[in-house]
Short mmCIF file of all heavy atoms in Angstrom, two decimals:
data_model
loop_
_atom_site.label_atom_id
_atom_site.label_comp_id
_atom_site.label_asym_id
_atom_site.label_seq_id
_atom_site.Cartn_x
_atom_site.Cartn_y
_atom_site.Cartn_z
N MET L 172 31.45 69.89 136.42
CA MET L 172 30.69 71.05 136.86
C MET L 172 29.62 71.32 135.90
O MET L 172 29.81 71.47 134.72
CB MET L 172 31.60 72.31 136.93
CG MET L 172 32.56 72.29 138.09
SD MET L 172 33.31 73.93 138.30
CE MET L 172 34.24 74.03 136.76
N SER L 173 28.35 71.39 136.37
CA SER L 173 27.24 71.60 135.48
C SER L 173 27.18 73.01 134.97
O SER L 173 26.54 73.26 133.93
CB SER L 173 25.98 71.28 136.20
OG SER L 173 25.75 72.08 137.33
N ASP L 174 27.83 73.95 135.65
CA ASP L 174 27.75 75.31 135.18
C ASP L 174 28.97 75.73 134.42
O ASP L 174 29.17 76.90 134.16
CB ASP L 174 27.50 76.26 136.38
CG ASP L 174 28.67 76.22 137.39
OD1 ASP L 174 29.49 75.30 137.33
OD2 ASP L 174 28.70 77.11 138.23
N ALA L 175 29.82 74.77 134.03
CA ALA L 175 30.98 75.12 133.29
C ALA L 175 30.56 75.63 131.88
O ALA L 175 29.61 75.17 131.30
CB ALA L 175 31.91 73.90 133.09
N LEU L 176 31.29 76.57 131.44
CA LEU L 176 31.10 77.10 130.05
C LEU L 176 31.84 76.23 129.07
O LEU L 176 33.04 76.05 129.19
CB LEU L 176 31.48 78.53 129.99
CG LEU L 176 30.69 79.52 130.91
CD1 LEU L 176 31.36 80.86 130.95
CD2 LEU L 176 29.26 79.69 130.36
N ILE L 177 31.13 75.74 128.06
CA ILE L 177 31.74 74.79 127.10
C ILE L 177 32.06 75.47 125.79
O ILE L 177 31.25 76.32 125.30
CB ILE L 177 30.76 73.60 126.95
CG1 ILE L 177 30.49 72.90 128.25
CG2 ILE L 177 31.38 72.64 125.89
CD1 ILE L 177 31.72 72.39 128.94
N CYS L 178 33.17 75.11 125.24
CA CYS L 178 33.58 75.63 123.91
C CYS L 178 32.47 75.45 122.89
O CYS L 178 31.81 74.42 122.80
CB CYS L 178 34.83 74.83 123.54
SG CYS L 178 35.43 75.20 121.88
N SER L 179 32.27 76.47 122.05
CA SER L 179 31.27 76.44 120.99
C SER L 179 31.69 75.64 119.74
O SER L 179 30.83 75.40 118.88
CB SER L 179 30.94 77.89 120.54
OG SER L 179 30.44 78.66 121.56
N ALA L 180 32.93 75.26 119.67
CA ALA L 180 33.39 74.57 118.44
C ALA L 180 32.62 73.23 118.36
O ALA L 180 32.41 72.56 119.34
CB ALA L 180 34.90 74.33 118.46
N LYS L 181 32.34 72.83 117.12
CA LYS L 181 31.53 71.62 116.87
C LYS L 181 32.26 70.41 117.48
O LYS L 181 33.48 70.13 117.16
CB LYS L 181 31.35 71.46 115.39
CG LYS L 181 30.34 70.37 115.04
CD LYS L 181 30.08 70.39 113.51
CE LYS L 181 28.97 69.40 113.24
NZ LYS L 181 28.67 69.40 111.78
N GLY L 182 31.56 69.68 118.32
CA GLY L 182 32.08 68.43 118.83
C GLY L 182 33.05 68.61 119.99
O GLY L 182 33.49 67.59 120.57
N CYS L 183 33.33 69.78 120.40
CA CYS L 183 34.27 70.08 121.45
C CYS L 183 33.52 70.13 122.78
O CYS L 183 32.48 70.79 122.87
CB CYS L 183 35.06 71.37 121.17
SG CYS L 183 36.28 71.66 122.39
N THR L 184 34.08 69.48 123.80
CA THR L 184 33.46 69.53 125.07
C THR L 184 34.39 70.14 126.13
O THR L 184 34.16 70.03 127.35
CB THR L 184 33.07 68.06 125.56
OG1 THR L 184 34.24 67.28 125.55
CG2 THR L 184 32.01 67.46 124.63
N ALA L 185 35.40 70.79 125.68
CA ALA L 185 36.38 71.45 126.61
C ALA L 185 35.75 72.65 127.23
O ALA L 185 34.89 73.30 126.70
CB ALA L 185 37.65 71.80 125.82
N GLU L 186 36.26 72.96 128.41
CA GLU L 186 35.81 74.16 129.09
C GLU L 186 36.30 75.41 128.33
O GLU L 186 37.47 75.47 127.92
CB GLU L 186 36.35 74.16 130.49
CG GLU L 186 35.88 75.40 131.34
CD GLU L 186 36.34 75.31 132.76
OE1 GLU L 186 36.87 74.33 133.20
OE2 GLU L 186 36.10 76.33 133.49
N ALA L 187 35.45 76.36 128.15
CA ALA L 187 35.77 77.57 127.43
C ALA L 187 36.62 78.49 128.33
O ALA L 187 36.34 78.68 129.49
CB ALA L 187 34.51 78.29 126.99
N THR L 188 37.64 79.08 127.71
CA THR L 188 38.49 80.08 128.46
C THR L 188 38.48 81.40 127.73
O THR L 188 39.09 82.33 128.27
CB THR L 188 39.92 79.50 128.50
OG1 THR L 188 40.40 79.19 127.20
CG2 THR L 188 40.00 78.28 129.40
N HIS L 189 37.87 81.50 126.58
CA HIS L 189 37.77 82.72 125.85
C HIS L 189 36.37 82.97 125.40
O HIS L 189 35.60 82.03 125.16
CB HIS L 189 38.63 82.65 124.59
CG HIS L 189 40.06 82.25 124.75
ND1 HIS L 189 41.06 83.13 125.22
CD2 HIS L 189 40.68 81.05 124.72
CE1 HIS L 189 42.18 82.48 125.38
NE2 HIS L 189 42.01 81.20 125.03
N GLN L 190 36.03 84.25 125.26
CA GLN L 190 34.74 84.62 124.57
C GLN L 190 35.17 85.45 123.35
O GLN L 190 35.84 86.43 123.46
CB GLN L 190 33.93 85.56 125.48
CG GLN L 190 33.44 84.90 126.77
CD GLN L 190 32.56 85.93 127.47
OE1 GLN L 190 31.42 86.09 127.12
NE2 GLN L 190 33.14 86.60 128.51
N LEU L 191 34.63 85.07 122.24
CA LEU L 191 34.78 85.80 120.99
C LEU L 191 33.57 86.67 120.81
O LEU L 191 32.43 86.19 120.71
CB LEU L 191 35.04 84.94 119.80
CG LEU L 191 36.32 84.08 119.81
CD1 LEU L 191 36.04 82.69 120.28
CD2 LEU L 191 37.02 84.16 118.45
N LEU L 192 33.77 87.96 120.71
CA LEU L 192 32.66 88.91 120.53
C LEU L 192 32.63 89.28 119.07
O LEU L 192 33.67 89.67 118.50
CB LEU L 192 32.87 90.13 121.37
CG LEU L 192 33.04 89.85 122.88
CD1 LEU L 192 33.19 91.18 123.65
CD2 LEU L 192 31.97 89.03 123.48
N TRP L 193 31.47 89.18 118.44
CA TRP L 193 31.38 89.39 117.01
C TRP L 193 30.05 90.10 116.62
O TRP L 193 29.08 90.08 117.45
CB TRP L 193 31.61 88.11 116.22
CG TRP L 193 30.65 87.01 116.48
CD1 TRP L 193 30.65 86.14 117.47
CD2 TRP L 193 29.48 86.70 115.65
NE1 TRP L 193 29.57 85.28 117.40
CE2 TRP L 193 28.87 85.61 116.27
CE3 TRP L 193 28.94 87.20 114.48
CZ2 TRP L 193 27.72 84.98 115.73
CZ3 TRP L 193 27.81 86.60 113.99
CH2 TRP L 193 27.23 85.55 114.57
N ASN L 194 30.04 90.57 115.41
CA ASN L 194 28.87 91.32 114.96
C ASN L 194 28.78 91.11 113.42
O ASN L 194 29.73 91.26 112.74
CB ASN L 194 29.05 92.78 115.28
CG ASN L 194 28.00 93.70 114.72
OD1 ASN L 194 28.08 94.00 113.50
ND2 ASN L 194 27.07 94.12 115.47
N ASN L 195 27.59 90.73 112.97
CA ASN L 195 27.38 90.65 111.55
C ASN L 195 26.62 91.87 111.11
O ASN L 195 25.44 92.07 111.41
CB ASN L 195 26.55 89.43 111.20
CG ASN L 195 26.20 89.34 109.74
OD1 ASN L 195 26.44 90.24 108.96
ND2 ASN L 195 25.75 88.15 109.32
N PRO L 196 27.33 92.84 110.44
CA PRO L 196 26.73 94.13 110.14
C PRO L 196 25.52 94.03 109.23
O PRO L 196 24.71 94.99 109.17
CB PRO L 196 27.87 94.93 109.48
CG PRO L 196 28.84 93.91 109.03
CD PRO L 196 28.68 92.75 109.95
N LYS L 197 25.31 92.94 108.58
CA LYS L 197 24.13 92.76 107.68
C LYS L 197 22.87 92.49 108.48
O LYS L 197 21.75 92.82 108.03
CB LYS L 197 24.33 91.63 106.69
CG LYS L 197 25.33 91.95 105.61
CD LYS L 197 25.48 90.83 104.57
CE LYS L 197 26.49 91.21 103.56
NZ LYS L 197 26.82 90.04 102.74
N ILE L 198 22.99 91.96 109.68
CA ILE L 198 21.79 91.57 110.48
C ILE L 198 21.84 92.19 111.87
O ILE L 198 20.77 92.12 112.54
CB ILE L 198 21.64 90.03 110.53
CG1 ILE L 198 22.83 89.34 111.18
CG2 ILE L 198 21.35 89.45 109.13
CD1 ILE L 198 22.60 87.86 111.40
N HIS L 199 22.95 92.70 112.32
CA HIS L 199 22.95 93.22 113.68
C HIS L 199 23.20 94.73 113.64
O HIS L 199 23.98 95.22 112.76
CB HIS L 199 24.11 92.61 114.45
CG HIS L 199 23.98 91.11 114.60
ND1 HIS L 199 25.03 90.22 114.33
CD2 HIS L 199 22.94 90.34 114.95
CE1 HIS L 199 24.59 88.99 114.56
NE2 HIS L 199 23.32 89.02 114.91
N THR L 200 22.66 95.41 114.59
CA THR L 200 23.08 96.85 114.73
C THR L 200 24.51 96.95 115.17
O THR L 200 25.05 95.97 115.80
CB THR L 200 22.16 97.56 115.75
OG1 THR L 200 22.18 96.86 116.98
CG2 THR L 200 20.65 97.62 115.25
N PRO L 201 25.21 98.04 114.94
CA PRO L 201 26.65 98.10 115.10
C PRO L 201 27.09 97.87 116.59
O PRO L 201 28.18 97.44 116.82
CB PRO L 201 27.02 99.55 114.70
CG PRO L 201 25.96 99.92 113.72
CD PRO L 201 24.71 99.25 114.23
N ASP L 202 26.25 98.22 117.55
CA ASP L 202 26.63 98.01 118.91
C ASP L 202 26.26 96.63 119.50
O ASP L 202 26.57 96.33 120.65
CB ASP L 202 26.03 99.12 119.83
CG ASP L 202 24.50 99.07 119.77
OD1 ASP L 202 23.93 98.57 118.80
OD2 ASP L 202 23.87 99.69 120.66
N ARG L 203 25.63 95.83 118.67
CA ARG L 203 25.26 94.48 119.12
C ARG L 203 26.46 93.56 119.14
O ARG L 203 27.37 93.65 118.25
CB ARG L 203 24.20 93.92 118.13
CG ARG L 203 23.72 92.49 118.40
CD ARG L 203 22.46 92.49 119.21
NE ARG L 203 22.02 91.08 119.44
CZ ARG L 203 21.21 90.44 118.68
NH1 ARG L 203 20.70 90.99 117.62
NH2 ARG L 203 20.83 89.18 118.97
N ARG L 204 26.54 92.69 120.16
CA ARG L 204 27.67 91.71 120.18
C ARG L 204 27.11 90.27 120.39
O ARG L 204 26.39 90.08 121.38
CB ARG L 204 28.61 92.05 121.32
CG ARG L 204 29.48 93.28 121.09
CD ARG L 204 30.46 93.08 119.95
NE ARG L 204 31.26 94.30 119.75
CZ ARG L 204 30.88 95.34 118.96
NH1 ARG L 204 29.76 95.25 118.30
NH2 ARG L 204 31.61 96.42 118.85
N LYS L 205 27.43 89.45 119.46
CA LYS L 205 27.17 88.00 119.66
C LYS L 205 28.39 87.42 120.33
O LYS L 205 29.54 87.93 120.16
CB LYS L 205 26.89 87.34 118.27
CG LYS L 205 25.73 87.87 117.54
CD LYS L 205 24.46 87.52 118.16
CE LYS L 205 24.13 86.07 117.97
NZ LYS L 205 22.81 85.68 118.55
N THR L 206 28.20 86.30 121.03
CA THR L 206 29.31 85.72 121.79
C THR L 206 29.42 84.28 121.41
O THR L 206 28.49 83.54 121.39
CB THR L 206 29.07 85.83 123.27
OG1 THR L 206 28.89 87.19 123.66
CG2 THR L 206 30.23 85.25 124.05
N TRP L 207 30.69 83.85 121.13
CA TRP L 207 31.01 82.45 120.96
C TRP L 207 32.02 82.16 122.10
O TRP L 207 32.90 82.95 122.41
CB TRP L 207 31.68 82.15 119.66
CG TRP L 207 30.68 81.93 118.53
CD1 TRP L 207 29.33 81.94 118.57
CD2 TRP L 207 31.05 81.69 117.17
NE1 TRP L 207 28.79 81.72 117.32
CE2 TRP L 207 29.87 81.59 116.44
CE3 TRP L 207 32.23 81.60 116.46
CZ2 TRP L 207 29.82 81.39 115.04
CZ3 TRP L 207 32.26 81.38 115.11
CH2 TRP L 207 31.03 81.25 114.41
N LEU L 208 31.87 80.96 122.66
CA LEU L 208 32.77 80.51 123.70
C LEU L 208 33.84 79.63 123.03
O LEU L 208 33.51 78.87 122.14
CB LEU L 208 32.03 79.74 124.78
CG LEU L 208 31.04 80.54 125.59
CD1 LEU L 208 30.17 79.62 126.42
CD2 LEU L 208 31.71 81.59 126.44
N ALA L 209 35.08 79.70 123.51
CA ALA L 209 36.10 78.90 122.92
C ALA L 209 37.11 78.38 123.99
O ALA L 209 37.44 79.16 124.94
CB ALA L 209 36.84 79.66 121.85
N CYS L 210 37.63 77.17 123.78
CA CYS L 210 38.71 76.69 124.60
C CYS L 210 40.08 77.23 123.99
O CYS L 210 40.06 77.85 122.92
CB CYS L 210 38.69 75.14 124.62
SG CYS L 210 39.02 74.39 123.06
N ASP L 211 41.15 76.91 124.66
CA ASP L 211 42.44 77.30 124.12
C ASP L 211 42.71 76.83 122.73
O ASP L 211 43.23 77.52 121.88
CB ASP L 211 43.58 76.85 125.05
CG ASP L 211 43.66 77.71 126.28
OD1 ASP L 211 43.19 78.88 126.35
OD2 ASP L 211 44.23 77.20 127.34
N ASP L 212 42.29 75.59 122.47
CA ASP L 212 42.57 74.97 121.17
C ASP L 212 41.72 75.55 120.03
O ASP L 212 42.12 75.53 118.89
CB ASP L 212 42.23 73.47 121.18
CG ASP L 212 43.30 72.69 121.98
OD1 ASP L 212 44.33 73.25 122.29
OD2 ASP L 212 43.04 71.51 122.31
N HIS L 213 40.63 76.11 120.36
CA HIS L 213 39.68 76.57 119.27
C HIS L 213 39.54 78.07 119.09
O HIS L 213 38.88 78.53 118.17
CB HIS L 213 38.32 75.93 119.47
CG HIS L 213 38.28 74.49 119.16
ND1 HIS L 213 37.94 73.50 120.11
CD2 HIS L 213 38.55 73.81 118.00
CE1 HIS L 213 38.10 72.27 119.50
NE2 HIS L 213 38.42 72.47 118.22
N GLU L 214 40.13 78.84 120.00
CA GLU L 214 39.98 80.28 119.86
C GLU L 214 40.55 80.75 118.53
O GLU L 214 39.86 81.54 117.84
CB GLU L 214 40.71 80.98 121.01
CG GLU L 214 40.42 82.48 121.14
CD GLU L 214 41.26 83.34 120.16
OE1 GLU L 214 42.29 82.94 119.82
OE2 GLU L 214 40.80 84.39 119.82
N GLU L 215 41.66 80.24 118.14
CA GLU L 215 42.27 80.71 116.90
C GLU L 215 41.43 80.40 115.68
O GLU L 215 41.24 81.21 114.78
CB GLU L 215 43.68 80.17 116.77
CG GLU L 215 44.41 80.71 115.53
CD GLU L 215 45.85 80.25 115.46
OE1 GLU L 215 46.30 79.55 116.35
OE2 GLU L 215 46.50 80.63 114.50
N SER L 216 40.92 79.16 115.58
CA SER L 216 40.18 78.75 114.43
C SER L 216 38.79 79.46 114.39
O SER L 216 38.37 79.90 113.28
CB SER L 216 39.96 77.22 114.39
OG SER L 216 39.24 76.80 115.52
N LEU L 217 38.18 79.68 115.49
CA LEU L 217 36.86 80.44 115.48
C LEU L 217 37.12 81.89 115.12
O LEU L 217 36.40 82.51 114.40
CB LEU L 217 36.20 80.32 116.86
CG LEU L 217 35.67 78.93 117.18
CD1 LEU L 217 35.18 78.90 118.66
CD2 LEU L 217 34.54 78.49 116.28
N ARG L 218 38.27 82.43 115.66
CA ARG L 218 38.59 83.82 115.36
C ARG L 218 38.88 83.97 113.84
O ARG L 218 38.44 84.94 113.24
CB ARG L 218 39.80 84.25 116.19
CG ARG L 218 40.34 85.64 115.84
CD ARG L 218 41.14 86.25 117.00
NE ARG L 218 42.03 85.34 117.65
CZ ARG L 218 43.25 85.02 117.24
NH1 ARG L 218 43.74 85.63 116.15
NH2 ARG L 218 44.01 84.17 117.89
N SER L 219 39.59 83.00 113.28
CA SER L 219 39.91 83.05 111.85
C SER L 219 38.61 83.07 111.00
O SER L 219 38.49 83.74 110.06
CB SER L 219 40.76 81.91 111.46
OG SER L 219 42.01 82.02 112.09
N PHE L 220 37.69 82.19 111.40
CA PHE L 220 36.39 82.02 110.74
C PHE L 220 35.68 83.39 110.76
O PHE L 220 35.16 83.84 109.67
CB PHE L 220 35.55 80.99 111.44
CG PHE L 220 34.18 80.78 110.85
CD1 PHE L 220 33.99 79.82 109.81
CD2 PHE L 220 33.10 81.49 111.31
CE1 PHE L 220 32.74 79.61 109.29
CE2 PHE L 220 31.87 81.32 110.74
CZ PHE L 220 31.65 80.37 109.79
N LEU L 221 35.62 83.98 111.91
CA LEU L 221 34.91 85.28 112.02
C LEU L 221 35.64 86.40 111.35
O LEU L 221 35.06 87.22 110.62
CB LEU L 221 34.70 85.66 113.49
CG LEU L 221 33.72 84.74 114.28
CD1 LEU L 221 33.81 85.01 115.77
CD2 LEU L 221 32.26 84.87 113.75
N SER L 222 36.96 86.44 111.47
CA SER L 222 37.77 87.45 110.85
C SER L 222 37.64 87.46 109.30
O SER L 222 37.58 88.48 108.67
CB SER L 222 39.25 87.29 111.22
OG SER L 222 39.40 87.56 112.61
N ALA L 223 37.59 86.24 108.74
CA ALA L 223 37.50 86.11 107.30
C ALA L 223 36.20 86.74 106.81
O ALA L 223 36.12 87.15 105.62
CB ALA L 223 37.55 84.61 106.91
N ARG L 224 35.16 86.82 107.59
CA ARG L 224 33.90 87.38 107.21
C ARG L 224 33.71 88.80 107.72
O ARG L 224 32.67 89.46 107.54
CB ARG L 224 32.81 86.50 107.77
CG ARG L 224 32.64 85.21 107.01
CD ARG L 224 32.01 84.08 107.85
NE ARG L 224 32.01 82.88 107.10
CZ ARG L 224 33.07 82.07 106.92
NH1 ARG L 224 34.25 82.38 107.48
NH2 ARG L 224 32.95 80.98 106.23
N GLY L 225 34.75 89.31 108.39
CA GLY L 225 34.66 90.71 108.91
C GLY L 225 33.79 90.85 110.12
O GLY L 225 33.37 91.93 110.45
N PHE L 226 33.55 89.74 110.78
CA PHE L 226 32.63 89.77 111.94
C PHE L 226 33.28 89.91 113.29
O PHE L 226 32.69 90.37 114.25
CB PHE L 226 31.80 88.50 112.01
CG PHE L 226 30.85 88.22 110.84
CD1 PHE L 226 30.20 87.02 110.72
CD2 PHE L 226 30.64 89.20 109.89
CE1 PHE L 226 29.32 86.79 109.68
CE2 PHE L 226 29.78 88.93 108.81
CZ PHE L 226 29.12 87.71 108.73
N TRP L 227 34.58 89.49 113.38
CA TRP L 227 35.25 89.42 114.68
C TRP L 227 35.55 90.85 115.22
O TRP L 227 35.94 91.74 114.46
CB TRP L 227 36.56 88.70 114.52
CG TRP L 227 37.32 88.56 115.80
CD1 TRP L 227 37.08 87.64 116.83
CD2 TRP L 227 38.39 89.33 116.23
NE1 TRP L 227 37.99 87.85 117.79
CE2 TRP L 227 38.80 88.87 117.49
CE3 TRP L 227 39.11 90.38 115.68
CZ2 TRP L 227 39.88 89.43 118.19
CZ3 TRP L 227 40.18 90.97 116.37
CH2 TRP L 227 40.53 90.48 117.62
N LYS L 228 35.23 91.01 116.51
CA LYS L 228 35.48 92.29 117.18
C LYS L 228 36.63 92.16 118.18
O LYS L 228 37.58 92.90 118.17
CB LYS L 228 34.22 92.80 117.89
CG LYS L 228 33.07 93.11 116.89
CD LYS L 228 33.47 94.18 115.88
CE LYS L 228 32.30 94.52 114.98
NZ LYS L 228 32.73 95.45 113.91
N GLU L 229 36.46 91.22 119.15
CA GLU L 229 37.52 91.04 120.11
C GLU L 229 37.36 89.70 120.81
O GLU L 229 36.29 89.10 120.79
CB GLU L 229 37.56 92.17 121.16
CG GLU L 229 36.31 92.31 121.95
CD GLU L 229 36.41 93.44 122.93
OE1 GLU L 229 37.53 93.72 123.44
OE2 GLU L 229 35.37 94.04 123.28
N THR L 230 38.47 89.27 121.39
CA THR L 230 38.41 88.06 122.24
C THR L 230 38.78 88.51 123.67
O THR L 230 39.77 89.20 123.89
CB THR L 230 39.44 87.00 121.74
OG1 THR L 230 39.03 86.56 120.42
CG2 THR L 230 39.40 85.81 122.65
N VAL L 231 37.96 88.07 124.59
CA VAL L 231 38.19 88.41 126.03
C VAL L 231 38.19 87.14 126.82
O VAL L 231 37.57 86.16 126.45
CB VAL L 231 37.13 89.37 126.56
CG1 VAL L 231 37.20 90.74 125.74
CG2 VAL L 231 35.75 88.80 126.42
N PRO L 232 38.87 87.12 127.99
CA PRO L 232 38.84 85.94 128.85
C PRO L 232 37.41 85.72 129.38
O PRO L 232 36.66 86.63 129.63
CB PRO L 232 39.77 86.37 130.02
CG PRO L 232 40.57 87.51 129.47
CD PRO L 232 39.72 88.21 128.53
N VAL L 233 37.07 84.50 129.62
CA VAL L 233 35.80 84.14 130.27
C VAL L 233 35.85 84.58 131.72
O VAL L 233 36.83 84.38 132.41
CB VAL L 233 35.52 82.62 130.18
CG1 VAL L 233 34.39 82.25 131.12
CG2 VAL L 233 35.21 82.19 128.81
ZN1 ZN U 336 37.18 73.72 121.84
#
């Protein structure tokens, strides 16, 4: 499917099933949300990366 949403993890070509919503308070206004897409295998690692920096807000289904 050409319109499939693909996981944002480096080198991953799996279809994304999660969206991680995040915000970097140093460069974004508080209500701004950046989005990363993640497959089942990468949601946890991407969430850990963002959480460690205090950026992660929530994960929602695609
Ligand atoms: Zn992935």
Side-chain angles (χ1 to χ4, degrees):
M172 285 192 297
S173 62
D174 62 346
L176 296 168
I177 301 301
C178 176
S179 300
K181 191 173 185 180
C183 184
T184 57
E186 184 175 352
T188 54
H189 307 277
Q190 297 182 79
L191 293 101
L192 305 183
W193 61 278
N194 172 283
N195 179 348
K197 289 183 180 167
I198 59 173
H199 301 131
T200 55
D202 60 340
R203 179 93 181 270
R204 290 292 180 272
K205 299 290 288 182
T206 303
W207 278 356
L208 298 169
C210 66
D211 283 338
D212 286 347
H213 287 118
E214 191 278 332
E215 185 174 357
S216 60
L217 291 173
R218 175 160 40 88
S219 295
F220 179 92
L221 293 169
S222 292
R224 289 156 182 78
F226 295 172
W227 181 80
K228 297 300 181 186
E229 61 179 330
T230 297
V231 296
V233 167

